Amino acid sequence: MAREELTRLTGSGNGNNGNGSGSGPCGKDDCPNVYRTVSGSFVIQGDVSDAFKAPDGEGLVEIPEETLREAVRALGW
């Protein structure tokens, strides 16, 4: 699946993650972010976490609470 096929729910693409601060949690371009797929599932972009070992074929990422809140607002939940 290409990034272009995803609906981006968070971040403005200018590094401020949609919060108006101008710096964002990672301080560059567009991370972390939440995307929605055509089928309605979600793709999460964030820092790799080693909190525990994920099962084979899965991964863990860590994103700030504000990024999830922004995604919920974008979906109108």
Side-chain angles (χ1 to χ4, degrees), residues 53-60:
K53 184 178 179 341
D56 287 343
E58 295 184 7
L60 303 173

Side-chain angles (χ1 to χ4, degrees), residues 1-3 13 19 23 28-29 32 34-35 39 43 46 48-50 52 54 63 66-67 71:
M1 168 182 324
R3 184 182 240 179
N19 65 11
S23 61
K28 60 184 175 186
D29 197 19
V34 177
Y35 299 87
S39 67
V43 174
V48 175
S49 174
D50 60 2
F52 62 90
I63 62 172
E66 179 54 36
T67 303

Side-chain angles (χ1 to χ4, degrees), residues 3-64:
R3 184 182 240 179
E4 295 77 27
E5 298 175 69
L6 303 172
T7 300
R8 187 169 157 175
L9 300 176
T10 57
S12 63
N14 64 4
N16 71 11
N17 199 31
N19 65 11
S21 69
S23 61
C26 69
K28 60 184 175 186
D29 197 19
D30 62 349
C31 65
N33 266 307
V34 177
Y35 299 87
R36 192 164 197 186
T37 68
V38 174
S39 67
S41 63
F42 297 93
V43 174
I44 309 298
Q45 175 185 354
D47 293 329
V48 175
S49 174
D50 60 2
F52 62 90
K53 184 178 179 341
D56 287 343
E58 295 184 7
L60 303 173
V61 297
E62 183 175 343
I63 62 172

